Amino acid sequence: MAFLHELWNFLRARKKFWLTPIILRLLLLGGLVVLSSGSAVAPFIYTLF
């Protein structure tokens, strides 16, 4: 949790708010990969790519 707090402070202090959508998309894609690796939903997620 400290990492997220430091990341937010960095983005706020350096006015790098344009990085927020990129970071969120990477987290979402990583979550999809982790969740789809061993589930029955995997064939449906792989068709998206």
Side-chain angles (χ1 to χ4, degrees), residues 9-39:
N9 285 338
F10 169 78
L11 293 174
R12 194 173 48 161
R14 305 266 191 314
K15 306 285 192 263
K16 303 276 185 191
F17 293 114
W18 56 271
L19 285 173
T20 306
I22 297 170
I23 292 170
L24 290 177
R25 286 183 184 147
L26 286 174
L27 288 174
L28 181 65
L29 184 62
L32 274 175
V33 169
V34 168
L35 291 176
S36 68
S37 64
S39 70

